[in-house]
Amino acid sequence: MPKSLTPPLAKLNQEIEGHAREFGLDFFETIFEVVSYDELNMVAAYGGFPTRYPHWRWGMEYEQLSKGYEYGLSKIYELVINNDPCYAYLLESNSDVDQKLVMAHVYGHCDFFKNNFSFRHTNRRMIDDMANHATRVRRWIDKIGVEKVEDFIDRALSLENLIDQHAPHIRRNPDPQRAEDELKSNERVEGFKVNREYMRGFINPSEFLDSQRKKVEEEKAKTKKFPERPQRDVLAFLLEHAPLEPWESDILSIIRDEAYYFAPQGQTKIMNEGWASYWHSTIMTRRALKDDEVIDYADRHSGTMGTRPGALNPYKLGIELWRDIEERWNKGRFGKEWDECDDLRARRSWDKKLNQGREKIFEVRKHYNDITFIDTFLTAEFAIDQKLFVYGFNDKRNSWEILDREFRKVKNKLLQQLTNFGQPIIEVVDGNHDNRGELLMAHKHDGQDLKGDYARETLRNVQSLWRRPACIITRYDNKGVLLRFDGQNHTEKKIDL
């Protein structure tokens, strides 16, 4: 069972919290709990929460984490929950320098959770809701049976990314009541033109106007789309319109709620981990480290920042980009004058001593996500300094190799990987395709084709919820293709786009 902080750890926590607030970090109350490595692996397998609904994948992830720790391949240093208050876990076997590093890192995360706009609409009581979700699923298991419920969860989890991750911040669909009122006002039937007002009732009797209004409504119904505009939140559409049983609807709503809770963390992975790393580095090197802890700290920090070949380390990219922003705004390396300077010697020695770096990074922390962060602040100089490149597989040489170091291609590749978490954007375009009750979805093609096996399995699982054939329009080799699954067979048909 998790334990509260021992007196020595409580003293360290008080020290680190004081340093964090001294540097200007603003966070919710943060509660640390001390756990064994086995308990930490269990919590990590649950996505950082002490309890989740029953499902086999938690056990699979626990086994993977446990073996990684036992074989010395990986070690979890910190886990923190976006909640109010925030909850974080400390490994009881850690040394004091590890505990201080983890605490400083956690306070960086908690500051980011509280202040970044992406988390503004997240559930700040999710630790309670996760427990409620677990209770609801267990009740359905007792009533329906574990195999039936688990099979449905498997299918629902395969669709959990079919949400509109920007929905909490924008309104894509108009207010229903207002739209209905506008529609009725547009459908007003005038009847025949009347020159004398007293003749209106004779020329356009109410029975005639009602019949004309009915005709207009019937014509509107024939041409009305369902949904009226493409809907990116496929799970919401299924919850509203699919013929789900009550238990299926309840579980699907749980999967969707949790997907929306975790979405901002995916949208800000580089910023968030970079911000927390920046502050643990700043707090430890400027305030908290003792002389005899420097080597151990350097070993832990370098292990976190290390990047293996062919992989992107969000900790490393994030912290370096935060430091670059701070340096640029301290030295005035921004604005029209800087952009127009083409003298390399002048750019290297450029320093207007503005010292606005710390103020700027707090501003960026509040208003950006990973995509806007990379798009706005990743520069050609930064890409060269960090040795960023695009790699791929060379069929002729049968090997992976560097394809390009050109800045624009590197940046575009990064942005492509971050957009919608690097996954295809799918929208519902017709809930009554060909007037047969079939569900038609569309893939917004961005240069990356759908993986055929993934697309077929997704259609299979969507069809199992819709209970009617499910289709998706996509593009292969610049030609339109309609993929369809009717519950038994997969078919493909070429179409014009």
Side-chain angles (χ1 to χ4, degrees), residues 238 241-245 248 465-468:
L238 292 172
H241 304 292
L244 300 173
E245 296 182 27
E248 294 175 316
L465 273 60
W466 188 247
R467 312 287 203 264
R468 299 283 298 164

Side-chain angles (χ1 to χ4, degrees), residues 51-56 58 129-154 156-157 247-255 258:
T51 183
R52 298 289 294 274
Y53 55 82
H55 191 252
W56 59 266
W58 313 128
D129 280 7
M130 287 292 190
N132 292 335
H133 292 171
T135 301
R136 285 157 59 186
V137 172
R138 286 190 175 93
R139 285 174 180 167
W140 287 122
I141 287 175
D142 292 341
K143 189 174 182 180
I144 306 296
V146 63
E147 290 187 6
K148 198 170 182 179
V149 171
E150 197 166 76
D151 176 67
F152 182 82
I153 292 176
D154 287 343
L157 286 174
W247 68 272
E248 294 175 316
S249 180
D250 188 32
I251 291 176
L252 188 60
S253 69
I254 288 173
I255 301 297
E258 294 187 5

Side-chain angles (χ1 to χ4, degrees), residues 58-75:
W58 313 128
M60 179 187 69
E61 292 179 9
Y62 169 77
E63 284 296 316
Q64 184 179 6
L65 291 168
S66 296
K67 285 182 170 59
Y69 182 86
E70 291 170 3
Y71 299 160
L73 302 175
S74 63
K75 179 179 178 180

Side-chain angles (χ1 to χ4, degrees), residues 4 31 33 58 71 73 75 80 101 145 166 265 278 288 312 325 351 361 363 375 378 380 387 415 473 484 486:
S4 57
I31 299 173
E33 295 184 345
W58 313 128
Y71 299 160
L73 302 175
K75 179 179 178 180
V80 57
L101 186 154
H166 303 295
Q265 298 181 35
Y278 172 91
L312 177 69
I325 295 169
D351 188 359
I361 63 173
E363 175 194 323
D375 193 33
L378 193 144
K387 299 180 176 60
L415 292 173
I473 296 172
R484 182 175 181 271
D486 62 6

Side-chain angles (χ1 to χ4, degrees), residues 222-457:
K222 290 179 182 178
T223 59
K224 186 177 180 181
K225 291 184 177 181
F226 169 56
E228 292 185 0
R229 64 192 71 192
Q231 184 164 333
R232 189 174 295 184
D233 192 340
V234 179
L235 292 189
F237 186 85
L238 292 172
L239 281 168
E240 293 172 11
H241 304 292
L244 300 173
E245 296 182 27
W247 68 272
E248 294 175 316
S249 180
D250 188 32
I251 291 176
L252 188 60
S253 69
I254 288 173
I255 301 297
R256 179 174 176 269
D257 288 346
E258 294 187 5
Y260 270 108
Y261 170 80
F262 287 112
Q265 298 181 35
Q267 291 173 300
T268 59
K269 180 69 173 178
I270 293 172
M271 284 186 70
N272 197 347
E273 295 298 354
W275 183 255
S277 300
Y278 172 91
W279 285 111
H280 87 228
S281 174
T282 301
I283 291 172
M284 292 296 285
T285 57
R286 298 188 184 181
R287 294 288 190 275
L289 270 183
K290 298 177 182 176
D291 293 345
D292 60 350
E293 296 173 335
V294 171
I295 300 300
D296 287 336
Y297 164 76
D299 176 64
R300 307 298 189 273
H301 179 75
S302 61
T304 305
M305 296 299 122
T307 303
R308 68 178 187 272
L312 177 69
N313 185 341
Y315 296 81
K316 175 65 173 175
L317 179 60
I319 191 174
E320 295 297 344
L321 198 47
W322 282 115
R323 287 171 172 169
D324 185 65
I325 295 169
E326 184 176 32
E327 181 183 23
R328 286 172 58 197
W329 261 257
N330 278 338
K331 295 183 176 181
R333 295 181 176 180
F334 61 92
K336 186 173 183 291
E337 185 181 357
W338 166 257
D339 292 337
E340 293 178 351
C341 177
D342 55 6
D343 185 338
L344 292 180
R345 187 173 298 175
R347 289 175 74 91
R348 288 195 195 99
S349 60
W350 191 292
D351 188 359
K352 293 195 172 184
K353 302 187 185 303
L354 298 182
N355 294 322
Q356 297 176 358
R358 186 61 57 83
E359 179 184 350
K360 182 64 180 178
I361 63 173
F362 273 98
E363 175 194 323
V364 173
R365 171 265 268 150
K366 185 175 183 180
H367 298 295
Y368 289 76
N369 61 23
D370 279 352
I371 292 176
T372 54
F373 185 61
I374 296 295
D375 193 33
T376 305
F377 299 108
L378 193 144
T379 63
E381 292 89 347
F382 181 85
I384 293 171
D385 289 343
Q386 297 300 315
K387 299 180 176 60
L388 300 179
F389 57 83
V390 176
Y391 73 96
F393 191 77
N394 188 319
D395 292 323
K396 293 181 180 179
R397 297 177 180 172
N398 196 33
S399 64
W400 293 92
E401 60 183 45
I402 295 175
L403 298 181
D404 213 311
R405 293 185 184 272
E406 200 272 316
F407 164 65
R408 182 52 55 185
K409 292 183 180 179
V410 169
K411 188 171 184 178
N412 287 342
K413 185 67 175 179
L414 261 177
L415 292 173
Q416 186 182 60
Q417 291 177 347
L418 294 172
T419 301
N420 202 49
F421 311 134
Q423 299 166 347
I425 297 175
I426 308 296
E427 296 177 329
V428 174
V429 294
D430 193 352
N432 188 26
H433 179 52
D434 281 347
N435 202 32
R436 294 185 299 193
E438 298 185 8
L439 182 66
L440 178 64
M441 298 172 288
H443 168 217
K444 296 189 72 173
H445 202 280
D446 60 355
Q448 293 290 327
D449 293 342
L450 289 180
K451 292 182 178 179
D453 54 343
Y454 280 44
R456 285 188 288 273
E457 285 304 308

